[in-house]
Amino acid sequence: MLRPAVLILDFGSQYTMLIARRIRELGVYSEILPCTTSLEAIKARAPRAVVLSGGPASVFDPGSPSVDPGVFALGLPVLGICYGEQLMAHLLGGKVEPATDREYGPAKVTVEAREGIFNRFGPGDVLDVWMSHGDRVESLPEGFKVLGTSASSPFAAIGHTGRQFYGVQFHPEVAHTARGQAILAAFVFDVAGLAGDWSPSSFVTDAVTAIGEAVPQGRVLCALSGGVDSSVAAVLAHRALGERLTCIFVDNGLLRRGEREQVERVFRNHFKLDLRVVDARARFLTALGGVSDPEQKRKIIGRVFIEVFEEEAQRVEGVTHLVQGTLYPDVIESVSFKGPSAVIKSHHNVGGLPERMKLTLIEPLRELFKDEVRSVGEAIGVPRQVLWRQPFPGPGLAIRVLGALDDEALDVLRAADSIVDQEVRAAGLYESVWQAFAVLLPVRTVGVMGDERTYERVCAIRAVSSSDGMTADWSRLPHELLATISSRIINEVRGINRVVYDISSKPPATIEWE
């Protein structure tokens, strides 16, 4: 387990994960814990600095989130962001009140003193920042001074240089704060004195060692999907365990065209892993027969997957552990303090396996974000086509065929989806688009093909841009590309006579349709 150089205490801000990402981009390892974390648990992490995140609450709300005041007696630099600034001022004897003029959106902050977090700016510099607050600090705790002001916030940035406590009313972590990264850099380097020598690739040696120490003997299973996360986890585990690792790939009949063959080629032929491929297509489709409710589909797929995996695992002797490609966003969602991590939909994963099979989990990637996992993958030789494979939902094409599904509908969708994939790649946009795929709608429309009237299905194209999948905007694909995709699908895929393009963002929509 890595020890965080910077510990971020989460008060429910939608931007908390961004704080961690921005600090890691500086080469400093950061970690998020809920604000309710005990002082002893904070000490046990041995951080070198603490950040108090923003949050939607008011310090005046009954039951509003707080932090153990002992955090301010640890002798560590502390940076409070938005709600974090207000809470710090409130706990240390300052005064916070509802703002007369609330600030939401772009604002300008004037630097008043070149100190601490403003060490990289000069007095009089005007910073474009992003505000989002209803309360504001009205008087400072003893020993604090004003570092920056805005039109509506006389204490937009504050600091106690003796104790190394700083607060900002705005959000330096978001892209809308143009020089926010310089503020964070000043905090971690100039104030906290950190080195900036952490990188995902430096993580490899430690991860391989940790896996080997965790499993000195016995066999280990890995549920391999062929996606980025499970692939990198499998190769890391193989480095540590060699022939003691067995990977199981379940073909559920809900895969994209050529997916099974790619997994076999990469992991059996290239990496020489012990890969066992289970053909369970008929079993999954039988269980899903006639089911149209998306949540029921997910539950059925999860249940059958666990059954199939368990049966195959029983054929492997001496298994004690299970490797899983859990990422840091998954961990954050499980500990976040009333933040943006409410469950949007249920997922099928291998989560039910350890309890059922009495296996110990190994999650070598649980401290990394997706882009960091890709960096690790590059360091250990995972092919680029695997590392940059677009995310694919656990339930597969089952939730992209809307309504009940069968072999015919899946074949139609595979053909359409393959055309989307080919054309987005040919346009050089595959790696810049988070996801681009086809959805088969339970709608038939009238068309004319070859002077004959048709009554066939509608295909929707979904393409989104995102950094982590938690929010996403619809991708502005070139009209010429969309025209080519539409023309090819209608002409080459029997059963589709109309193609539409989804221009919904997340939120309020989700990336998947089901």
Side-chain angles (χ1 to χ4, degrees):
M1 179 181 68
L2 294 173
R3 290 191 177 275
V6 177
L7 188 62
I8 302 160
L9 298 180
D10 177 30
F11 293 89
S13 170
Q14 61 182 315
Y15 303 131
T16 300
M17 194 181 300
L18 270 179
I19 303 171
R21 291 180 62 85
R22 296 292 175 259
I23 293 175
R24 290 188 185 193
E25 287 168 4
L26 294 169
V28 175
Y29 180 64
S30 61
E31 188 174 297
I32 298 169
L33 287 178
C35 59
T36 51
T37 302
S38 71
L39 188 62
E40 289 307 310
I42 291 172
K43 290 179 180 178
R45 306 300 288 170
R48 300 272 301 280
V50 174
V51 174
L52 309 179
S53 85
S58 166
V59 294
F60 309 111
D61 291 341
S64 61
S66 190
V67 68
D68 189 315
V71 166
F72 300 106
L74 295 176
L76 300 175
V78 178
L79 172 63
I81 295 175
C82 197
Y83 180 86
E85 181 201 50
Q86 296 161 15
L87 181 66
M88 179 165 59
H90 177 68
L91 293 177
L92 295 179
K95 186 177 182 181
V96 178
E97 291 185 352
T100 304
D101 298 309
R102 297 186 174 191
E103 286 184 296
Y104 293 101
K108 294 185 181 296
V109 168
T110 300
V111 176
E112 301 294 337
R114 182 172 182 167
E115 293 181 24
I117 55 173
F118 281 174
N119 193 44
R120 302 184 176 206
F121 307 102
D125 283 358
V126 178
L127 310 179
D128 292 315
V129 304
W130 186 260
M131 294 280 193
S132 179
H133 66 96
D135 297 341
R136 71 178 192 181
V137 177
E138 290 293 338
S139 65
L140 296 180
E142 184 178 351
F144 279 77
K145 65 180 293 185
V146 178
L147 299 182
T149 61
S150 74
S152 298
S153 295
F155 304 114
I158 61 176
H160 187 313
T161 54
R163 300 184 69 185
Q164 302 284 47
F165 294 162
Y166 298 92
V168 290
Q169 186 58 75
F170 55 90
H171 289 274
E173 70 273 22
V174 303
H176 302 291
T177 298
R179 301 177 70 185
Q181 193 71 332
I183 295 171
L184 294 175
F187 178 68
V188 299
F189 298 138
D190 305 341
V191 174
L194 297 169
D197 54 1
W198 179 82
S199 70
S201 57
S202 69
F203 161 91
V204 173
T205 302
D206 292 339
V208 170
T209 300
I211 294 170
E213 291 175 349
V215 196
Q217 57 186 7
R219 296 199 65 81
V220 176
L221 292 179
C222 177
L224 181 65
S225 70
V228 178
D229 311 334
S230 69
S231 297
V232 174
V235 176
L236 268 178
H238 186 244
R239 280 201 170 193
L241 305 169
E243 295 180 355
R244 293 194 290 130
L245 176 71
T246 295
C247 295
I248 297 177
F249 176 81
V250 177
D251 184 351
N252 58 13
L254 307 170
L255 306 175
R256 291 170 289 192
R257 182 175 285 181
E259 206 147 15
R260 172 174 169 173
E261 293 77 10
Q262 183 189 40
V263 169
E264 291 185 287
R265 183 171 60 253
V266 170
F267 294 95
R268 181 176 286 159
N269 300 339
H270 178 71
F271 284 111
K272 308 299 182 185
L273 270 70
D274 177 15
L275 174 64
R276 309 197 181 184
V277 176
V278 185
D279 188 342
R281 291 174 291 183
R283 185 164 173 178
F284 277 88
L285 293 181
T286 298
L288 289 165
V291 177
S292 59
D293 180 75
E295 286 301 293
Q296 280 298 108
K297 289 181 186 178
R298 292 173 183 273
K299 290 176 182 177
I300 290 169
I301 293 166
R303 172 179 58 79
V304 176
F305 177 85
I306 289 174
E307 292 172 357
V308 171
F309 191 94
E310 185 179 30
E311 291 167 9
E312 188 65 25
Q314 288 175 350
R315 298 186 174 94
V316 183
E317 295 183 1
V319 174
T320 58
H321 291 69
L322 174 72
V323 172
Q324 183 168 302
T326 306
L327 300 193
Y328 198 43
D330 302 321
V331 177
I332 293 171
E333 289 193 358
S334 69
V335 302
S336 180
F337 182 84
K338 299 179 182 178
S341 54
V343 175
I344 304 300
K345 59 183 177 291
S346 60
H347 288 274
H348 117 264
N349 206 323
V350 298
L353 286 170
E355 297 85 357
R356 182 162 174 158
M357 299 172 62
K358 296 182 173 59
L359 298 178
T360 301
L361 266 181
I362 297 177
E363 298 172 307
L365 308 176
R366 65 178 281 114
E367 295 162 330
L368 304 182
F369 290 103
K370 177 76 78 174
D371 56 333
E372 295 169 339
V373 171
R374 288 193 170 110
S375 296
V376 169
E378 288 176 359
I380 58 179
V382 177
R384 188 173 183 85
Q385 69 265 28
V386 174
L387 290 180
W388 288 94
R389 177 182 185 247
Q390 292 181 354
F392 189 56
L397 298 182
I399 57 170
R400 293 182 181 173
V401 173
L402 272 58
L405 66 158
D406 52 35
D407 278 326
E408 180 184 5
L410 287 166
D411 287 342
V412 168
L413 179 58
R414 276 194 196 93
D417 190 70
S418 179
I419 290 171
V420 175
D421 182 87
Q422 292 167 22
E423 293 300 331
V424 170
R425 288 180 186 273
L429 298 174
Y430 185 83
E431 293 184 8
S432 61
V433 173
W434 177 260
Q435 280 177 273
F437 56 89
V439 180
L440 193 63
L441 308 185
V443 176
R444 294 184 183 273
T445 64
V446 174
V448 178
M449 299 179 73
D451 296 326
E452 292 185 1
R453 182 184 179 91
T454 62
Y455 191 60
E456 295 179 337
R457 302 183 76 157
V458 179
C459 173
I461 306 303
R462 179 71 158 147
V464 298
S465 301
S466 179
S467 61
D468 52 24
M470 296 191 73
T471 60
D473 192 16
W474 63 276
S475 297
R476 276 63 169 176
L477 296 183
H479 290 177
E480 295 78 9
L481 173 58
L482 291 173
T484 300
I485 291 172
S486 176
S487 177
R488 283 196 60 192
I489 289 175
I490 291 173
N491 283 289
E492 298 176 28
V493 182
R494 187 175 297 274
I496 295 175
N497 69 356
R498 191 178 299 268
V499 174
V500 298
Y501 190 54
D502 182 349
I503 59 170
S504 309
S505 296
K506 175 188 179 182
T510 55
I511 294 177
E512 299 293 339
W513 277 45
E514 284 193 344

